[in-house]
Amino acid sequence: ERRRAEQARAASAAAQEPPGRRSGALDMLRNLAATLPPKEDQAIVRAKAIAFLDQGMRAAAQYFAEFARQINSIGPRAARPYDYLYLGRLPTVSLAEAWSDSRPRRVEGNDCCERVLLKYRIRPDPPASVTLQKDDIVRCENYLKAMKTAFQARVVAKNDFGQATGAAFTVSGGLLCELDLRADYDACTVTVELKNVRRPGNQQCRVAADELKDLPDDLGRYMLGADDEFEKLLRRGG
């Protein structure tokens, strides 16, 4: 607003030259240029943007490293349910076996933090029980085995050929949840991907670099079930 006012005064002054003395176009442009702030070198702007995003990613890495340590030390119970593929809603779960890491990348001659990872497991209390039918039996069994989840399966129904048509699964722990932050240093944005965190399967959104400051704590609260505020970003997508 202040810049526009200065530009308007410069243009008005040029228009009010005494009769017989008309201001040249170059003079008008010079007067206008005098009211503008100096342009910052684009290379400097780019370097600042990279440094800002790197700083945010490094802060996120430190946050989740401490978050993982606290989970492993305390084994907290989530304040809200977790929904999990095949098992449905798990009303009460505890968080455990957390692991955090970060990955660097060379960006325009500088070492920058490109990825931040967090993995942890949830334990239903009491153990989760579900009865599945037909093809879901094998799919669920393979799914749980791939994650090295602690479970038991018991056939409860067979067809005339002796093939299982129903099976009861009991899962006592080791359900894997994952968080992955990936920095895009070209667009100066961060992609947030969640896998089995409070909701089954993958969820993803993208945030700007200046949103990274509050993001780790928003995610931490979401994983602990303290609130659902982070879902606003998930609904926004990106």
Side-chain angles (χ1 to χ4, degrees):
E1 188 66 31
R2 180 180 176 184
R3 185 187 303 174
R4 286 197 295 268
E6 290 176 347
Q7 292 173 352
R9 285 196 294 270
S12 175
Q16 295 175 5
E17 289 287 342
R21 183 172 179 271
R22 188 173 64 177
S23 178
L26 287 177
D27 290 333
M28 294 174 64
L29 291 175
R30 292 188 186 102
N31 290 335
L32 186 59
T35 67
L36 299 175
K39 289 185 177 180
E40 192 169 8
D41 188 292
Q42 288 304 304
I44 297 176
V45 173
R46 169 71 175 153
K48 287 182 177 179
I50 291 173
F52 182 72
L53 180 53
D54 177 49
Q55 181 181 22
M57 288 293 289
R58 290 179 186 274
Q62 292 176 356
Y63 181 96
F64 287 116
E66 178 62 21
F67 189 82
R69 283 192 291 270
Q70 292 295 331
I71 286 177
N72 293 334
S73 174
I74 300 171
R77 177 173 290 183
R80 282 175 167 81
Y82 268 64
D83 293 328
Y84 218 88
L85 186 63
Y86 295 113
L87 303 177
R89 174 148 293 189
L90 307 176
T92 307
V93 302
S94 297
L95 282 60
E97 300 180 52
W99 170 86
S100 179
D101 193 17
S102 61
R103 308 284 169 80
R105 175 193 163 192
R106 197 77 174 165
V107 180
E108 298 185 10
N110 297 305
D111 286 329
C112 296
C113 180
E114 183 183 34
R115 294 183 70 182
V116 177
L117 305 167
L118 175 70
K119 297 182 181 182
Y120 63 97
R121 294 181 182 271
I122 57 172
R123 182 177 63 251
D125 184 22
S129 298
V130 64
T131 299
L132 300 176
Q133 310 294 325
K134 298 181 180 180
D135 293 342
D136 280 343
I137 297 172
V138 175
R139 293 192 187 107
C140 180
E141 187 171 16
N142 291 338
Y143 181 69
L144 296 176
K145 284 181 178 179
M147 289 188 297
K148 300 180 179 179
T149 299
F151 75 97
Q152 293 179 339
R154 178 173 55 88
V155 175
V156 296
K158 294 182 180 180
N159 60 18
D160 294 340
F161 301 99
Q163 297 170 324
T165 57
F169 286 80
T170 301
V171 178
S172 56
L175 292 165
L176 186 63
C177 305
E178 301 180 35
L179 163 67
D180 187 356
L181 304 183
R182 299 189 301 274
D184 182 341
Y185 281 93
D186 293 324
C188 286
T189 59
V190 177
T191 298
V192 183
E193 185 173 0
L194 305 180
K195 184 175 182 180
N196 298 327
V197 176
R198 299 277 310 279
R199 302 291 179 260
N202 291 359
Q203 302 180 87
Q204 184 172 296
C205 66
R206 182 176 296 178
V207 300
D210 58 2
E211 295 177 290
L212 193 52
K213 179 181 178 181
D214 297 324
L215 181 67
D217 197 57
D218 288 344
L219 282 164
R221 292 177 60 81
Y222 183 67
M223 288 183 280
L224 291 173
D227 57 52
D228 294 330
E229 286 298 307
F230 180 71
E231 290 193 351
K232 294 178 181 178
L233 289 178
L234 291 174
R235 288 192 291 269
R236 190 182 73 182

